[in-house]
């Protein structure tokens, strides 16, 4: 996601520690204490401006959500949404999806969402795609046995690549949508990119994949 560099973004994050987990490595294995309950934890890697994660948190108060993004300015926009919502079950953190094992203990995360991840279409950038096998290794560690990844995108190339990557990894494709918005899938929570691309007439692809064990 391209956003203009936001002045004061870092300070904005730092002055809201009730919503932004500033030292996530220190809460590894103790996330339920951060939320003050034992509800399951769902994370979005590459949460952008936070519409999905706050929308999900509003709809599902019995789930704890963490939005994760690598860009300070982007995360600071997500923080604005979280501050507006005042929801107790959503937190944010600045982190790289490749380092999640530094912040989450084995099986600490119940489900992982990827929405409109950067496609990195060039072959030589394959390793940067959030569904590349090294990322799947990381996700598998922090998810429980049979843990699920829910992924949606408008990018056909990344979708095709990801189906193959999940499959080569031995994951089960529980369900695949080739046109999510034309389907009977209920409870869809739109992301910023989803709204933008679907308004332009692009179809939205979705897959629920799970690790075998
Ligand atoms: N999910 C949002 C944003 C999609 S854009 C939406 O659908 O609207 C992709 C986002 O992933 C960007 O905000 C980018 O900063 C973030 N991102 C890219 N690589 C990442 C990584 N390795 N770890 C965490 N976030 C990443």
């Amino acid at each position: 996601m391209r956003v203009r560099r936001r002045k004061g973004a870092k300070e904005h994050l730092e002055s809201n520690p009730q919503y932004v987990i500033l030292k996530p490595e220190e809460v590894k294995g103790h996330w339920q204490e951060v939320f003050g309950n034992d509800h399951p934890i769902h994370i979005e890697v590459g949460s952008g401006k936070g519409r999905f994660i706050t929308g999900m948190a509003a709809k599902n108060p019995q789930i704890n959500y963490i939005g994760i993004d690598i860009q300070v300015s982007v995360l600071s926009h997500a923080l604005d949404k979280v501050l507006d919502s005042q929801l107790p079950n959503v937190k944010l953190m600045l982190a790289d999806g490749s380092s999640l094992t530094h912040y989450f203990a084995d099986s600490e995360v119940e489900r992982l969402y990827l929405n409109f991840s950067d496609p990195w279409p060039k072959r030589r950038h394959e390793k940067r795609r959030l569904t590349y096998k090294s990322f799947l290794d990381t996700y598998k560690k922090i998810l429980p046995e049979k843990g699920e990844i829910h992924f949606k995108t408008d990018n056909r190339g990344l979708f095709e690549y990801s189906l193959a990557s999940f499959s080569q990894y031995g994951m089960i494709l529980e369900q695949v949508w080739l046109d999510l918005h034309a389907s009977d899938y209920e409870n869809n929570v739109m992301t910023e990119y989803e709204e933008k691309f679907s308004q332009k007439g692009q179809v939205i692809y979705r897959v629920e994949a799970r690790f075998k064990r």
Side-chain angles (χ1 to χ4, degrees), residues 6-71:
R6 195 182 195 195
K7 215 169 153 230
K10 189 163 170 276
E11 294 71 21
H12 187 38
L13 298 178
E14 285 169 356
S15 54
N16 287 284
Q18 73 278 33
Y19 289 120
V20 184
I21 307 309
L22 297 166
K23 292 187 176 160
E25 62 283 354
E26 290 179 4
V27 292
K28 177 176 175 175
H30 304 284
W31 278 95
Q32 291 185 327
E33 288 167 29
V34 171
F35 288 98
N37 59 47
D38 61 359
H39 300 169
I41 293 171
H42 293 187
I43 68 175
E44 182 186 9
V45 180
S47 48
K49 291 186 178 175
R51 177 166 167 189
F52 177 81
I53 207 79
T54 48
M56 291 295 277
K59 265 192 159 176
N60 304 294
Q62 75 295 355
I63 307 281
N64 295 324
Y65 290 92
I66 307 170
I68 300 170
D69 208 283
I70 201 170
Q71 293 188 69

Side-chain angles (χ1 to χ4, degrees), residues 6-9 12-13 16 19-20 48-51 54 72-87 92 192:
R6 195 182 195 195
K7 215 169 153 230
H12 187 38
L13 298 178
N16 287 284
Y19 289 120
V20 184
K49 291 186 178 175
R51 177 166 167 189
T54 48
V72 177
S73 293
V74 172
L75 201 72
S76 80
H77 287 287
L79 175 58
D80 291 341
K81 285 214 184 62
V82 171
L83 285 169
D84 277 348
S85 77
Q86 292 284 317
L87 290 162
L92 300 171
E192 277 87 2

